[in-house]
């Protein structure tokens, strides 16, 4: 039977619902991101961190504060479904702070169909995630290239949770990143405190390579790429100690 029956399930899409275009919790963007993480790693505890306002904009100050807050409150994976055109010393320092405390950082590669760097995806040790179509092709809007993207994941008409007991259909690298963050949460479960950033990056990019694009996320391959020394999961000894999503960013706790 189908997962969703459109005759009985309210579905929103970006062609008819412009409120889905802005990365604001008020528009449901954070719920959509969190829903995708939950889809991949349903036992992960989500730590939503709101840094965007009702109009879908955020100050760099609040973004940086959100990163420090999530790390200090036990996040193990940071999902950052936003991008900015210019790097800053403050943003780099916040990411370095997270990496130094064993946090896996995942960020959307951006939706400009460009290879120009965007941040935080282009920062060293951040796993930038581009978008693919359902036919394993580069999405027409997705940023690409080594500056922004370490791995690609589905990001076209992805169905996920939406406020009000509904589901929404959206597209963008904002929705590719949380799929990778969810896989990172699984890796945290398998490795526990022993998962390094480089191990996470290697595992996330271990899937099949799309010709002319790059590696496409594969949760099974990612898990198999680790020499697992622990167990966990929905029926095991526990879930990841961190991953999350919210208004552009979040962490598992």
């Amino acid at each position: 039977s189908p997962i969703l029956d459109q005759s009985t399930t309210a579905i929103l899409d970006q062609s008819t619902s412009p409120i889905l275009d802005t990365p604001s919790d008020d528009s449901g963007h954070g719920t959509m991101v969190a829903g995708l993480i939950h889809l991949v790693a349903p036992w992960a505890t989500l730590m939503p961190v709101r840094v965007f306002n009702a109009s879908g904009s955020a100050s760099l100050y609040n973004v940086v504060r959100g990163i420090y807050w999530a790390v200090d409150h036990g996040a193990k994976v940071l999902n950052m479904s936003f991008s900015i055109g210019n790097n800053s010393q403050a943003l780099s320092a916040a990411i370095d702070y997270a990496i130094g405390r064993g946090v896996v950082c995942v960020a959307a590669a951006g939706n400009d169909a460009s290879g120009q760097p965007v941040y935080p995806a282009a920062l060293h040790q951040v796993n930038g995630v581009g978008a693919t179509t359902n036919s394993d092709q580069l999405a027409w809007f997705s940023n690409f290239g080594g500056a922004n993207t370490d791995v690609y994941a589905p990001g076209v008409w992805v169905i996920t949770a939406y406020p009000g007991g509904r589901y929404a259909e959206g597209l963008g690298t904002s929705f590719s990143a949380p799929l990778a963050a969810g896989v990172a949460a699984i890796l945290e479960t398998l490795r526990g405190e022993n998962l390094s950033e480089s191990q996470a990056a290697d595992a996330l990019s271990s899937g099949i390579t799309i010709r002319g694009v790059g590696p496409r996320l594969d949760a099974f391959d990612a898990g198999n790429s680790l020499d697992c020394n622990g167990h966990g999961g929905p029926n095991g000894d526990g879930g990841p100690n961190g991953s999350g999503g919210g208004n552009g960013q979040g962490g598992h706790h």
Side-chain angles (χ1 to χ4, degrees):
S1 61
I3 296 174
L4 297 177
D5 181 352
Q6 285 188 296
S7 65
T8 59
T9 304
I11 300 287
L12 304 178
D13 64 62
Q14 287 179 310
S15 63
T16 59
S17 300
I19 58 171
L20 300 186
D21 292 335
T22 56
S24 165
D25 189 58
D26 297 81
S27 72
H29 183 273
T31 301
M32 294 172 74
V33 168
L36 290 168
I37 297 172
H38 179 73
L39 178 68
V40 177
W43 60 88
T45 301
L46 298 175
M47 182 194 295
V49 181
R50 178 173 179 168
V51 298
F52 286 83
N53 61 27
S55 66
S57 61
S59 68
L60 181 61
Y61 172 75
N62 281 337
V63 168
V64 169
R65 283 184 62 202
I67 293 171
Y68 281 111
W69 190 93
V71 174
D72 288 344
H73 285 78
K76 290 300 181 182
V77 178
L78 287 181
N79 178 79
M80 297 172 284
S81 286
F82 62 87
S83 63
I84 57 177
N86 298 304
N87 190 22
S88 76
Q89 185 176 358
L91 180 59
S92 293
I95 294 297
D96 287 345
Y97 181 79
I99 296 294
R101 282 152 182 78
V103 177
V104 176
C105 294
V106 177
N111 304 320
D112 303 314
S114 169
Q116 292 297 311
V118 297
Y119 301 90
L123 291 174
H124 180 57
Q125 294 185 310
V126 172
N127 296 280
V129 188
T132 57
T133 67
N134 292 335
S135 57
D136 261 355
Q137 301 295 314
L138 178 68
W140 63 92
F141 54 81
S142 177
N143 285 356
F144 52 83
N148 297 316
T149 50
D150 300 284
V151 65
Y152 294 81
V156 176
W157 306 129
V158 179
I159 296 175
T160 180
Y162 191 78
R166 295 175 291 174
Y167 295 91
E169 185 181 57
L171 78 167
T173 58
S174 276
F175 307 121
S176 304
L179 297 177
V183 173
I186 295 173
L187 301 179
E188 284 282 351
T189 299
L190 297 175
R191 272 289 192 176
E193 298 298 322
N194 296 319
L195 181 69
S196 69
E197 185 281 330
S198 61
Q199 288 172 331
D202 289 345
L204 290 175
S205 61
S206 65
I208 65 167
T209 298
I210 300 174
R211 185 176 179 181
V213 179
R216 195 258 289 142
L217 183 72
D218 187 305
F220 184 77
D221 285 348
N224 279 344
S225 72
L226 292 179
D227 179 18
C228 303
N229 294 315
H231 301 280
N235 297 312
D237 297 328
N241 293 322
S243 181
N247 290 318
Q249 82 179 48
H252 298 295
H253 169 56

